[in-house]
Amino acid sequence: MARSSPGLLNIMKYTISILVAASLVYAQQAQYQQCGGINYSGDTTCVSGSVCTKLNDYYSQCLPGTPSGPSAPTPSTLPRLGGVNTAGYDFSVATDGSFNGTGVPPPPSQFTHFANEGANLFRIPFAWQLMTPQVGGSINETWFSSFYDPTVQAALASSPDTRVIIDLHNYARWNGAIIAQGGPTNDQFASVWTQLAQKYGSNERVIFGIMNEPHDVPNIATWVDSVQHVVNAVRAAGSKNFLLLPGSSWSSAQAFPTEAGPLLVKVTDPLGDNSKLLFDVHKYLDSDNSGTHPDCTTDNVQVFTDLVTFLKANGNRQAILSETGGGNTASCETLLANQLAFVKNSFPTLLGFTVWAAGAFDTTYVLTQTPFANGTDQALWTAAVKPNLP
Ligand SMILES: *[C@@H]1O[C@H](CO)[C@@H](O)[C@H](O)[C@H]1NC(C)=O
Ligand SMILES: *[C@@H]1O[C@H](CO)[C@@H](O)[C@H](O)[C@H]1NC(C)=O
Ligand SMILES: *[C@@H]1O[C@H](CO)[C@@H](O)[C@H](O)[C@H]1NC(C)=O
Ligand SMILES: *[C@@H]1O[C@H](CO)[C@@H](O)[C@H](O)[C@H]1NC(C)=O
């Protein structure tokens, strides 16, 4: 988030599916030709180097891409997503990954409140130290079963379509030291995810947010190796959940195409194709992109245009904007509405968003989206977020 405060995210709804046709040797459709859809009767296979991609029920098109194997599996898909970070279990995680708080449960009533308005994605951040009090150690079952899991279950129960991002909110750090770069080992990092994969691996509505906002990471290639290590560990634990892979510079959507993105697109999924490896990006709209000011100065449309271009050019990959937001001010109402409309229209490359933040934040926090006690929404939610929910 929003550097000096905690908070997070949530997830999804309608669908695109990428259909990988069996390879045939004749009558294949050329790149950008139609290859499927209701009442379409032509060939459904695409020339080499392109993949038949369902854009909607009526139209599938041969888009550049590589099917991943001789009998490539049908890649997995998520619907269009939109919602909010429900913060609290991350409160007092510092940006150096230290923590000495206790966490505050997000009010469960918010999940139905927002779901009734069309939200289908909730991001639920947590402090690593709350989940595993010792680095690389066991999950605190008391805390998990009394606090975190009931919150996740409340979110999942808000609608059958709801997706939940469980977000390890530690900035690639534990108590001031960076994973595999002076801090915890890759195995210690993977350990928490192996355990969470054992708990949530049977529910594909749970998306694993591998790490919130890595920043000031000395070696980005080494960081990407750490990400690959976690991907391998989660799959070794038997989980097929969607994974949200973070880059660098506070998960900056702007830096992604030139910084971590070119390395992260090379991370592979032992499942066989990359359709379940999504990228995690953040972007605020204030003057220094910190998410700490009430006023907004940009709608970031150029940033997201560049991001979409990069993702399409690198195998039609997908991202979720898991943090964005602004104050309940006129400038943010206009600019965030523009930005979220652009994100919504960039589906399926951009699957959706979760704004920062509701949950345990009170209604005076500078970026608060927590509804008032009388059930009324914040001004920004009403003007910019709600109209762009799925
Ligand atoms: C598909 O074809 C049938 C039969 O011609 C027609 O009734 C139907 O409206 C068509 N559906 C669409 C979506 O075009
Ligand atoms: C933890 O406690 C120490 C000592 O009171 C304080 O300096 C530090 O800011 C605290 N860190 C967080 C993340 O609250
Ligand atoms: C485990 O969680 C419980 C409930 O929140 C807490 O009281 C206890 O101190 C935690 N244990 C450790 C070792 O942090
Ligand atoms: C709900 O409470 C807020 C904050 O006190 C107030 O601004 C708003 O007018 C109230 N709405 C209704 C419908 O009472």
Side-chain angles (χ1 to χ4, degrees):
M1 107 104 213
R3 313 269 146 100
S4 50
S5 47
L8 268 241
L9 123 65
N10 126 11
I11 298 193
M12 99 143 171
K13 175 145 184 175
Y14 208 61
T15 287
I16 76 142
S17 57
I18 298 184
L19 307 171
V20 179
S23 57
L24 291 180
V25 285
Y26 73 101
Q28 292 175 327
Q29 297 298 92
Q31 228 172 60
Y32 302 112
Q33 282 190 319
Q34 188 173 3
C35 56
I38 292 174
N39 285 357
Y40 170 76
S41 59
D43 202 277
T44 57
T45 61
C46 296
V47 292
S48 170
S50 61
V51 177
C52 188
T53 305
K54 179 174 173 178
L55 302 180
N56 56 53
D57 286 345
Y58 305 98
Y59 198 80
S60 298
Q61 189 181 28
C62 294
L63 293 177
T66 314
S68 64
S71 60
T74 300
S76 306
T77 59
L78 285 168
R80 182 179 266 131
L81 301 171
V84 64
N85 283 270
T86 50
Y89 295 126
D90 56 312
F91 281 6
S92 88
V93 179
T95 55
D96 72 350
S98 64
F99 173 77
N100 42 22
T102 55
V104 183
S109 59
Q110 281 183 15
F111 299 118
T112 43
H113 172 92
F114 290 123
N116 287 342
E117 299 183 23
N120 62 358
L121 183 61
F122 296 101
R123 183 172 180 240
I124 307 176
F126 62 91
W128 193 350
Q129 291 91 337
L130 280 176
M131 193 64 81
T132 64
Q134 298 195 340
V135 65
S138 298
I139 286 180
N140 180 341
E141 292 292 343
T142 308
W143 180 78
F144 182 82
S145 60
S146 308
F147 294 99
Y148 194 73
D149 188 52
T151 299
V152 170
Q153 298 305 331
L156 289 169
S158 64
S159 145
D161 287 335
T162 296
R163 265 70 172 185
V164 170
I165 298 172
I166 57 174
D167 160 49
L168 177 51
H169 208 77
N170 269 65
Y171 305 93
R173 288 159 168 83
W174 176 285
N175 294 352
I178 299 174
I179 294 165
Q181 306 192 42
T185 64
N186 284 338
D187 283 345
Q188 288 172 326
F189 179 29
S191 171
V192 64
W193 282 114
T194 296
Q195 295 176 70
L196 287 166
Q198 287 158 355
K199 293 186 178 298
Y200 292 116
S202 60
N203 190 341
E204 291 205 34
R205 290 200 287 139
V206 178
I207 298 170
F208 297 170
I210 298 302
M211 181 56 73
N212 177 70
E213 297 192 348
H215 66 90
D216 301 291
V217 172
N219 188 322
I220 295 174
T222 302
W223 167 245
V224 172
D225 287 344
S226 298
V227 171
Q228 179 73 69
H229 198 85
V230 170
V231 171
N232 295 348
V234 165
R235 297 309 183 217
S239 149
K240 296 179 177 174
N241 301 60
F242 282 89
L243 307 179
L244 212 39
L245 312 186
S248 53
S249 295
W250 312 88
S251 303
S252 166
Q254 188 161 0
F256 192 88
T258 53
E259 228 173 60
L263 295 169
L264 273 179
V265 295
K266 295 180 183 160
V267 171
T268 57
D269 193 333
L271 290 180
D273 74 83
N274 289 334
S275 60
K276 285 188 159 176
L277 302 184
L278 313 174
F279 301 116
D280 190 13
V281 295
H282 293 180
K283 193 77 183 76
Y284 286 91
L285 302 85
D286 50 356
S287 52
D288 61 359
N289 183 38
S290 65
T292 58
H293 304 94
D295 296 310
C296 293
T297 61
T298 173
D299 62 13
N300 291 318
V301 162
Q302 188 59 53
V303 168
F304 287 105
T305 299
D306 293 345
L307 178 65
V308 166
T309 300
F310 174 85
L311 293 171
K312 284 186 171 170
N314 283 274
N316 281 316
R317 303 298 296 273
Q318 296 175 293
I320 294 177
L321 175 61
S322 73
E323 284 193 28
T324 188
N328 293 288
T329 57
S331 59
C332 292
E333 287 171 24
T334 301
L335 294 168
L336 184 66
N338 289 352
Q339 178 190 285
L340 293 183
F342 186 87
V343 169
K344 185 174 184 179
N345 290 331
S346 299
F347 179 86
T349 302
L350 303 181
L351 282 159
F353 63 86
T354 46
V355 295
W356 188 267
F361 278 117
D362 68 25
T363 55
T364 64
Y365 167 54
V366 62
L367 303 188
T368 193
Q369 295 306 307
T370 296
F372 292 108
N374 61 15
T376 302
D377 283 310
Q378 296 292 333
L380 184 68
W381 183 273
T382 302
V385 183
K386 197 171 165 186
N388 290 301
L389 292 173

